[in-house]
Each structure stands twice: as structure tokens, then as C-alpha cells.
Amino acid sequence: MLMQKNQAFEHAEMTNETIYAGRSLSALFLASAMEPVSAGRAICWEGDEANHLFQVVEGVVRLYRIVGEGRRVITAFCFAGDLIGASLQSDFLFTAEAVTECRIRRVSRKSFHDEVARSDALHTAYISLLCQETAAAHEQMVLLSKKNAEERLCSFIAKLASRRNPQARQSLLRVPMNRQDIADHLGLTIETVSRTLTKLASRNVVAPEGRHDLRIVNLAVLTQLSGDADDFFEKSCHRVSLH
Amino acid sequence: MLMQKNQAFEHAEMTNETIYAGRSLSALFLASAMEPVSAGRAICWEGDEANHLFQVVEGVVRLYRIVGEGRRVITAFCFAGDLIGASLQSDFLFTAEAVTECRIRRVSRKSFHDEVARSDALHTAYISLLCQETAAAHEQMVLLSKKNAEERLCSFIAKLASRRNPQARQSLLRVPMNRQDIADHLGLTIETVSRTLTKLASRNVVAPEGRHDLRIVNLAVLTQLSGDADDFFEKSCHRVSLH
DNA sequence: CGACCGATTGATATGGATCAAAATTAGTGG
DNA sequence: CCACTAATTTTGATCCATATCAATCGGTCG
């Protein structure tokens, strides 16, 4: 049981808060049965009553909304350890679908909240998680609002890389989602994602190895190109000029 | 005192949860002194330690981040009754600036959390607020990711209108922010906002009256054009085809 | 009245979308 | 293991919505 729990958080490079929040809240799922979800299948649907929360134990999940005729927005990807539905009040505001083969656990919303209310530590962890979700959503708003295709893709890759999944010996990065998923997450088309990736490859920033792996050749440049490097030049300049 | 509190929530058209969340949490601010903030002045800065939460008692505030050289993203506008900084853990992730003359109150983060921890009702309200913030952020992600200029502007206006501020006799809507603010919130340029507005006016959807007022001529069409009308056609079609 | 600032309008440029193949890769059945 | 088919990705050609650059307009304030 404990092994299981730790396994879900094997990846390094998380903040202390994240680990704390994830760790303690994930204890609430340990009593639940593990459910396998095969790639492509839905875990919950937008509009349905949010009677459960889920934890991704293994695999990758996409959360998305459909807007108008066929336009899909992937608001987030969830990885091992992540909770699905923590920030919901009554209904699911997104559909959750397995990107890869997954294993998940579920708990009822009621029991989740009962447990959280019972423990200060869990409570803190829960608040912390909600705040992180908001922060992530804001980050994504910035990306969608002001970044060009290259910056978007570099941000995405850099973030994936910083998650440092187990498979990543040296600098080989697993990219479980397909091009369409990436496009729908970054607000681009599949063609633009492909072209941008080719361009990055030709500039020796990354080197695609098959559809689902990327060798990060130059992380420094990648970060630079992502547009949220701490080039304290620009940032401090602006900070000052605003006062 | 109580008058004050109610005044901040005079506008109708909010969900029950919103009212509840806002009402009870705003009690925490009543003991604090009212601080005037003149238009254009900052309330807090991105990067600073988030030692306080603020409540907007009167006026409108913009929350923004600066990305790269001079690109500004307004992640949200805050109105009377709204809290600023509820979803922050340690540092401010945005700068808050008065759009109009404002009056605000502040409480220390510590005392806020102490009080919230002490009351179940406050606690529920706080969670509720965080969830709403996340939902709003997701909504904005959809807008930035998949909507065109017209849909964005219509969404914005419709949302403003649904807030139904006091000045709104009949269908005259106050728009306190300038074109640049709107542009930076919608991920457009000032010119595109202006042109799109002109187009909407020529189609008799809205009628600008001065820089800061809009007469809503046809709310039905406005909602339709916003792209999140419940045209159960499309939606139900898609829901079905996905299963 | 003139200078200034925000908003509008106009002309042009462009990044990414769209439409259309071609090239890879993955699956399937023999 | 290989041939065949389907799906995904890449590449190419063209188009278009919005950005950019530039000029004008309308209100406001000294």
C-alpha cells in the first residue's frame, strides 16, 4: 500500500508544497480499488454530476471542454499522483479522458470532504492544491494570450521536462500525448505544432525520436525560447518603470 | 457597518454560492479601515510577498501579469465585493491596479486564515470562492484558446452585463475599463476591439454611448454571438457523438 | 484656442489556419 | 515475417483574421 503511494510520486522536481499536498491527500484514495482505464476512454463527462474525485495512479489523462462545433480545449493534463475534480462544486466542468493506459482510484465527493474537514493537515493540503490549480490556470492564460507558437511549444516541453518522469534517462523526454492533444492544449493546429517542432529540431534545440519521445538537446535555449525565462533584465526593468 | 456590507453586493444576478461566499467572507474585512485608491494606482505588485488580502468595496480593479517585453495580460477584473489574493500561497502572482477610483479594505493573510479556520461557514465559503476562481480561469482559457475577436468581445460584454451594476437603468451598461484594458484581457489589440465594437454597433447588437457606456440593444444576439449560448443543438449533438 | 490623450478608421503585413498531398508509423491478417 | 490498410504526422501552397503601422477624429484640460 505504502509502496503504491510512493510510486505515484516517484518523479522529482516538484515543490515541497506539491509533494505535501499530493502525498497527504492521496492517502484518502488508498482504500479505494484501483480501476484500469484503457487509452481513449473517458473517466467522467462534462455536465455530469461530480459525485467522485479521481486520482491518477498511473498514466496520463486529458481534461477538456468542447466549445461550439468541434472545437476542443484541453485545459490540463493530469499525471500520476494528480487529483481530478478537486476544484469542482457540483458538476464536472470538463471531460476527463485517458491519454494512455491508466490506473485510477476514486472516492466520493462527500467522503473526500468529510475526511478533509476532519484533519488540519489534509485541509491545508487541499487549499494548497486549489491554489496551485489556479496558478496553473493563470499561467496557461498568459501562454494563450501572449505567446507565439514557438514560445507555446517550448513552454510545454520545458514544463513536461521539469516534471522529470521516470523514463527520462538523461535527457530523453517521454511525450505521451499525440500532436492533436498538444495542439488543443496550446491553442494551435496540429500542423503548426508539427512545423514548430521541426524548426526547433533544425535549430538543435530538441531532437524527436519517434512520435512519443523527445531528446532535449539544449535545455537552456529551450527555456529561453519559452518566454518565461527569468531574464531579470526585462522583468526588473518593467517592475521599476511601473512604480 | 451592515449597510456597508450589503452595499458591496447590491448587484443582482449572482449565483447563490457566490453571494454566500462573498457575504460571509466579507465580514472578515469589516473591522479594517477603508482605504481609498485613486485610479491607476497599484494595490499590490507581482512578486511581492502576499501578506494581505484585499476586498474591493467600491470601484474596479485589474489583475495583470507582464510577460516578456511589455506584453500585459489582464487575468481578471475585480468588482465591489470581490476579494484579491484569496488563491495565493506566498507571493503575489499578479499586480493589482485600480481601474477607477476605488475603496478597499485589507486583512493580513494570517488573520484571514485564522478566522476561516475557526468557522465552518467561512471555510465553506472560502473553498467555494477558490473553486469559482478556477472555473472562471478555465472559462477564460476557452475564450483565449478558441474564440475569435467577435466572440471574445461579446462574451466579455455579456458577462459584464450579467453582473448588472447599479448604474444599469434599463439596458445601459457601464464599462469602466478603457479599450487597452479590454484588449489585454481578451488577448486582442486595441484596434481590433474598436473595430469589432463598431461592427457590433452597425449590426444593432449594441450602441456605444461615450467611451464608458454601452447600450445593449439585443441581448439575445449578443449572447448568441458570444459562443457560449446553450444552443442545445450543437452541444447535445456532440455529447452524444462522443460516447 | 491649441495641445494632448484615447478612440476610431484606414492601409498593409504576417503568423498561423486551412486545404491538400506525401511520408511515416502502427495495426492487422494471412 | 511480410504485405496491406488505416491512422498519424509531416510537408507544401494558399488564405485570412488579426496585428502592425499610420493617420484622423473627438473630447478634455490648461
Side-chain angles (χ1 to χ4, degrees):
Chain A
M1 272 273 200
L2 261 171
M3 282 288 297
Q4 197 65 59
K5 177 177 157 196
N6 286 331
Q7 185 187 328
F9 292 93
E10 228 168 49
H11 45 280
E13 204 75 15
M14 303 175 95
T15 66
N16 287 332
E17 282 124 28
T18 316
I19 290 173
Y20 183 63
R23 274 263 168 86
S24 52
L25 287 174
S26 78
L28 298 180
F29 291 81
L30 286 176
S32 309
M34 195 92 79
E35 303 176 39
V37 183
S38 50
R41 297 218 63 81
I43 293 166
C44 60
W45 281 275
E46 178 180 351
D48 283 4
E49 260 189 79
N51 295 325
H52 292 91
L53 282 85
F54 305 92
Q55 182 183 39
V56 181
V57 175
E58 199 184 310
V60 180
V61 173
R62 57 179 168 250
L63 309 185
Y64 67 82
R65 294 188 46 183
I66 298 285
V67 47
E69 4 91 34
R71 295 179 281 185
R72 184 181 71 162
V73 181
I74 295 184
T75 52
F77 291 106
C78 297
F79 300 83
D82 292 348
L83 303 198
I84 296 172
S87 65
L88 298 175
Q89 301 259 58
S90 52
D91 294 345
F92 282 108
L93 298 177
F94 49 74
T95 297
E97 239 171 47
V99 171
T100 64
E101 296 294 305
C102 288
R103 290 193 302 163
I104 65 172
R105 298 188 203 262
R106 78 173 71 204
V107 301
S108 79
R109 162 162 311 280
K110 179 165 177 355
S111 75
F112 179 85
H113 278 109
D114 287 353
E115 295 277 5
V116 167
R118 199 168 302 155
S119 148
D120 270 5
L122 288 181
H123 176 242
T124 306
Y126 180 51
I127 300 288
S128 179
L129 179 65
L130 291 180
C131 291
Q132 285 165 233
E133 277 197 25
T134 307
H138 281 199
E139 201 61 50
Q140 190 69 3
M141 282 175 52
V142 168
L143 179 146
L144 293 170
S145 188
K146 295 288 166 180
K147 291 186 176 177
N148 63 25
E150 186 173 279
E151 292 171 321
R152 290 180 196 201
L153 195 58
C154 288
S155 297
F156 175 71
I157 297 170
K159 192 156 131 208
L160 251 196
S162 79
R163 183 172 277 279
R164 197 104 63 74
N165 53 353
Q167 267 130 315
R169 299 270 157 271
Q170 325 127 7
S171 60
L172 190 62
L173 177 70
R174 181 94 246 225
V175 183
M177 51 293 280
N178 64 27
R179 299 291 185 262
Q180 189 64 62
D181 287 335
I182 298 173
D184 287 348
H185 183 53
L186 299 182
L188 301 169
T189 59
I190 187 176
E191 292 96 333
T192 299
V193 169
S194 183
R195 271 186 253 272
T196 307
L197 199 53
T198 313
K199 208 168 61 182
L200 289 176
S202 76
R203 289 213 262 154
N204 279 316
V205 180
V206 297
E209 303 196 357
R211 288 178 177 182
H212 291 294
D213 290 286
L214 260 188
R215 187 163 298 280
I216 312 256
V217 180
N218 193 334
L219 184 58
V221 172
L222 186 77
T223 309
Q224 206 68 42
L225 292 177
S226 77
D228 28 45
D230 348 274
D231 37 5
F232 27 86
F233 292 127
E234 296 178 353
K235 266 205 175 159
S236 56
C237 283
H238 268 279
R239 180 85 54 78
V240 169
S241 72
L242 277 166
H243 287 192
Chain B
M1 273 278 201
L2 261 170
M3 283 287 298
Q4 196 65 58
K5 177 176 155 194
N6 286 331
Q7 186 187 328
F9 290 92
E10 227 166 49
H11 44 281
E13 203 75 18
M14 304 174 94
T15 66
N16 286 332
E17 283 126 28
T18 316
I19 290 173
Y20 183 63
R23 274 263 166 87
S24 52
L25 287 174
S26 76
L28 298 181
F29 290 81
L30 286 176
S32 309
M34 195 94 79
E35 304 175 38
V37 183
S38 50
R41 297 216 63 80
I43 293 166
C44 60
W45 281 275
E46 178 181 351
D48 283 3
E49 261 189 77
N51 296 324
H52 292 91
L53 282 86
F54 305 91
Q55 181 184 41
V56 181
V57 175
E58 199 184 309
V60 179
V61 173
R62 57 179 169 251
L63 309 186
Y64 68 82
R65 294 189 47 184
I66 299 285
V67 46
E69 4 92 32
R71 294 180 282 185
R72 185 180 70 161
V73 181
I74 295 183
T75 52
F77 291 106
C78 297
F79 300 84
D82 291 347
L83 302 199
I84 297 172
S87 66
L88 297 175
Q89 301 259 60
S90 52
D91 294 346
F92 282 109
L93 298 178
F94 49 74
T95 298
E97 241 173 42
V99 170
T100 64
E101 297 293 305
C102 288
R103 290 194 301 161
I104 65 172
R105 297 188 205 262
R106 77 173 71 203
V107 300
S108 78
R109 162 161 310 282
K110 177 164 178 0
S111 75
F112 179 85
H113 278 109
D114 287 353
E115 295 278 5
V116 167
R118 198 169 302 155
S119 149
D120 270 4
L122 288 182
H123 177 242
T124 307
Y126 179 52
I127 301 286
S128 179
L129 179 65
L130 292 180
C131 291
Q132 285 167 231
E133 277 196 27
T134 306
H138 281 200
E139 201 60 51
Q140 190 69 4
M141 282 174 52
V142 168
L143 179 144
L144 293 170
S145 187
K146 295 289 166 179
K147 290 186 177 178
N148 63 26
E150 184 172 281
E151 292 170 321
R152 291 180 195 200
L153 195 57
C154 288
S155 297
F156 175 71
I157 297 170
K159 193 155 130 207
L160 251 196
S162 78
R163 186 173 276 278
R164 197 104 60 75
N165 52 352
Q167 267 130 314
R169 299 271 156 271
Q170 326 126 8
S171 61
L172 189 62
L173 177 70
R174 181 92 246 224
V175 183
M177 50 295 279
N178 64 26
R179 299 292 186 263
Q180 188 64 63
D181 287 335
I182 297 173
D184 287 349
H185 183 53
L186 299 182
L188 300 170
T189 59
I190 186 175
E191 292 96 333
T192 299
V193 169
S194 183
R195 272 186 253 271
T196 307
L197 198 54
T198 312
K199 208 168 60 181
L200 289 175
S202 77
R203 288 212 264 155
N204 279 317
V205 181
V206 297
E209 303 196 357
R211 290 176 175 184
H212 291 294
D213 290 286
L214 260 188
R215 187 163 299 280
I216 311 258
V217 180
N218 194 333
L219 183 59
V221 172
L222 186 77
T223 309
Q224 205 69 42
L225 293 177
S226 76
D228 27 46
D230 344 278
D231 38 5
F232 26 85
F233 292 128
E234 296 179 352
K235 267 209 175 155
S236 56
C237 283
H238 268 278
R239 181 83 54 78
V240 168
S241 72
L242 277 166
H243 288 191

